[in-house]
Structures are given as structure tokens and as C-alpha cells.
Amino acid sequence: MTKRIAITTGGGDAPGLNAVIRAVTLAATKRGWECIGIRSGFDGILHPEDFEGDGTIELTPDTVRGIAHTGGTILGTTNRGNPFNYEVENEDGSTTVEDISARVIEGFKRHKVDVLVAIGGDGTMGIAGQVADMGIPVVGVPKTIDNDLNGTIATFGFDTAVSYATDALGRLHSTAQSHQRVMVMEVMGRHAGWIALHCGIAGSADVILLPEIPFDIDKVAAKVAERNSKNRKFSIVVVAEGAKPIGGTAKYHQTGDVFRLGGIGELVAEELRLRVPNEVRTVELGHLLRGGSPTSRDRLLSFRFGAAAVRAIEENHLNVMVGLDPPTVHYVPLDECTKSIKLVPLDCDSIQTARDLGTCLGD
Ligand code: F6P
């Protein structure tokens, strides 16, 4: 039976989104099915007037040609478009938060959608679960550079972020060594330390600070001093944006009334300046980790996830998320993925590897 699939990309973008869109479209077309893409999360359905056409894009082998290597998402995305919790502007300019999910369901009916493929992180999987509860079958595809989603060993976008951050560490090494400086590099990752840990090990950082291990700044300073005493008068410190000192809290940047994690790198630098003789400089990689072309590993994972999502629909495995469970891709019930975030386990071999290499983890 012909099926009509709607694809949405939600939350922050990540390298590999376009490869998933291509894989779903090609695998669906091969089965004689149809695909449409919803513009900007669910906004294409909620506010079609804000877009050219009807707020959706017809996805065919032609419209998804040549996109797998590109960053971002051809559909657009938003991390403010939760239809169950939607900020609505009133006539007097004030805003209220309302549940307008019924309009999404109406929109699916209007577009004759049989199944939704929701590509996103924990926020999108939560929304997908609620959409499923309203009677629209859903298959989720796990995306986030943070790798903090349960139900999958890896999310696509993570490898690209780690590769970029590792390259940045190589660059910081040479300038840090030349100037005998301490370079503090802050990376994204929300409340999980996956990016910091993996790039820190791969890029031979001297100190790695993770949200999972509250740090003692004196231990960090002692590591720098130890290196200075061995005539290695430069040090590289990687800090996850969600890291916090023992007994302290995470740091946030504020823009208007929006708070975003960030700034802990500068705080670590300020505290180190009080304790070590080296000049200490910081760099915050921020959204550079999210942009650009996906690595081959992320492209492959995206293609595997996209094709598996279509197989799940064919096999009637609905209201699940596809996930990587080496050597295969499996299906996990949506609610199992969103109960909690996937943190770095303190007893994992990567943590042990960092310790065995002599890396300071701030504890
Ligand atoms: O979840 C991905 C992520 O890049 C996090 O690492 C970061 O904290 C957040 O999104 C930043 O979001 P925004 O694009 O809204 O600043």
C-alpha cells in the first residue's frame, strides 16, 4: 500500500540531517511511497503563510540530489516550535504559551500524512511521543552533536563535532607551545561531556573537565604547575560547557530572557590566572561544532538511520526511534529514549583511558 511520509527536523541543527532526509526519501521512493518535508520543525504546518508555497517541500530523488555532504537542513529547523508548548503572540503584543498540537494533527490530515519521521534530539523525541499518542504513527531518528540521547550508542553529528574540536586542539597546541601559554577550549555538549572527553583524548589535552565530574580548580592548577616544572611550559585544557566546580553550578550566557550554557571556560581561565604564572587564554568553539559538512562516519550513520526508519515503517515497527546498537541498527520505544539524558558513565573505558594517559579530570 502506498504510504505518504512527512519528515521534520527539530531542535538545533547537526551535520548529517540532509543525509538522513536523502536516505528516507530514496528508500521510500524505492517502495513506491511519497515523502514531504515540513519546513522549520512544525512551523510549516502551523504557519504556512510564513513560507513560500504551502509550508512543505515535496521530497523526491531530484530534490534530495547532492545534499548528503552539506551541513544544516534543507527543511530548516527551530528549537522554539514545540506545538504542545507553543509561544503564541497575542493582539496586544504579549505572549502566552499554549497547546496547539491539534493544528499539527489537522495539518497532517490535510497533507494526507500516514507516518511522521521526526529527526531530532531528546526534545524532538518527546514531541514525537506526544504526536504518536494523538494517533499519528512516528519513527524517530536520533540527532545531536551532544551524543546525549539514550537508546543509541551514537547520534549523528557527534563524530563531526569531535573531529572539528580535535583539529582545533591540534592548532591550539602549536600556538600554546610557542607562547608558553595555557589555552582553555570550551566545547558544547549541554549537560553531558561526550564531546569534551572524546576530543580531549584524541587531541591529547592535559586537562579535561566534564559535567559528570565536578572539578577542583587547584587540581587543574597543580597539573599545569607539574608540566611547567618538567619544562613543558604550556598546557591545554578542554572544558565542557556544562562543567561545574565542586559545590558550584553551571555557567550560562544570558541574551534577553534566554539563558544558554556557556562561559565556564572563561571562569576556569580567571581562576587559573590567580594560580599559575603562565598567560591563560580561552576559546569557545560554540556553533562551529554544529556547522559544516558531516564526516564520512556521520554520513554513513545518517544513511543507515534514514534507511532503517523506512524499514521500520515497512515492518510496522511504529512509535520507535532507530538507534545504533553495533553491529546493527535497532528500534527502541520512544519513551525509553527520553526518560533521562545519556551521560558519560564514570566507569567507562574512555574515562579510564584518559586517566591512564595521565590526563587530569579535575578530581
Ligand atoms: O544540543 C546541541 C547544542 O549545540 C548544545 O550543545 C548547546 O548547548 C545548544 O545546542 C545551543 O543551542 P542554541 O543554538 O540555541 O544556542
Side-chain angles (χ1 to χ4, degrees):
M1 217 180 84
T2 299
K3 286 195 191 297
R4 193 161 156 85
I5 299 176
I7 304 178
T8 180
T9 52
D13 69 337
L17 282 166
N18 287 331
V20 179
I21 295 168
R22 178 172 159 81
V24 173
T25 304
L26 294 185
T29 308
K30 187 166 179 279
R31 288 162 171 79
W33 303 350
E34 293 170 350
C35 276
I36 58 166
I38 305 169
R39 307 284 302 273
S40 226
F42 293 107
D43 282 354
I45 281 185
L46 295 170
H47 297 290
E49 67 284 0
D50 291 348
F51 301 90
E52 268 174 32
D54 67 356
T56 67
I57 300 178
E58 207 64 38
L59 295 172
T60 66
D62 274 341
T63 55
V64 300
R65 180 171 300 139
I67 62 168
H69 64 289
T70 59
T73 157
I74 59 165
L75 302 178
T77 188
T78 171
N79 40 20
R80 310 213 178 291
N82 181 349
F84 295 90
N85 235 338
Y86 202 85
E87 203 170 277
V88 179
E89 196 171 328
N90 303 311
E91 274 173 17
D92 63 0
S94 64
T95 55
T96 43
V97 173
E98 291 176 18
D99 178 352
I100 57 168
S101 54
R103 281 165 55 190
V104 172
I105 307 301
E106 277 164 31
F108 286 152
K109 291 198 176 131
R110 199 168 60 242
H111 288 286
K112 300 190 171 29
V113 170
D114 297 307
V115 186
L116 173 70
V117 171
I119 315 172
D122 61 343
T124 304
M125 292 311 134
I127 296 169
Q130 287 175 280
V131 167
D133 291 343
M134 294 178 82
I136 301 288
V138 181
V139 175
V141 177
K143 161 243 67 168
T144 166
I145 63 163
D146 307 332
N147 195 34
D148 61 352
L149 203 51
N150 274 309
T152 185
I153 292 289
T155 53
F156 72 84
F158 173 61
D159 185 64
T160 308
V162 170
S163 301
Y164 185 89
T166 304
D167 180 64
L169 282 175
R171 291 164 190 266
L172 289 179
H173 257 102
S174 57
T175 176
Q177 186 164 21
S178 304
H179 287 268
Q180 303 196 333
R181 281 174 173 160
V182 175
M183 297 296 305
V184 179
M185 184 176 95
E186 181 182 313
V187 294
M188 283 185 166
R190 290 204 306 180
H191 297 288
W194 294 101
I195 299 176
L197 181 63
H198 283 223
C199 78
I201 295 173
S204 298
D206 305 297
V207 179
I208 305 173
L209 303 178
L210 310 174
E212 291 84 352
I213 306 178
F215 63 86
D216 175 348
I217 194 70
D218 289 324
K219 295 276 169 57
V220 180
K223 177 69 182 177
V224 174
E226 178 204 316
R227 286 178 55 78
N228 285 343
S229 73
K230 291 182 180 157
N231 219 21
R232 294 196 278 275
K233 295 196 168 136
F234 70 97
S235 292
I236 304 289
V237 180
V238 175
V239 190
E241 64 178 1
K244 46 194 170 307
I246 293 170
T249 52
K251 284 276 287 176
Y252 288 85
H253 290 305
Q254 186 178 0
T255 320
D257 55 1
V258 178
F259 289 84
R260 290 188 170 92
L261 279 169
I264 188 68
E266 192 48 51
L267 188 91
V268 166
E270 275 168 23
E271 292 296 324
L272 278 180
R273 286 183 193 114
L274 302 173
R275 292 168 171 81
V276 300
N278 318 58
E279 198 178 344
V280 186
R281 302 291 298 272
T282 54
V283 54
E284 196 173 320
L285 292 190
H287 293 84
L288 291 170
L289 295 172
R290 291 224 309 245
S293 184
T295 57
S296 55
R297 185 185 285 255
D298 271 339
R299 270 181 236 182
L300 176 62
L301 191 56
S302 300
F303 281 141
R304 290 177 72 190
F305 282 165
V310 174
R311 289 198 302 275
I313 296 167
E314 187 173 48
E315 295 159 11
N316 216 24
H317 284 295
L318 298 168
N319 307 335
V320 294
M321 185 189 83
V322 300
L324 184 64
D325 183 20
T328 195
V329 172
H330 67 166
Y331 311 132
V332 201
L334 277 171
D335 55 356
E336 274 184 31
C337 313
T338 51
K339 274 186 202 143
S340 59
I341 64 165
K342 184 180 72 187
L343 297 173
V344 176
L346 295 182
D347 59 353
C348 72
D349 85 284
S350 296
I351 293 272
Q352 195 51 53
T353 300
R355 294 195 194 281
D356 283 338
L357 294 173
T359 312
C360 168
L361 297 180
D363 58 347

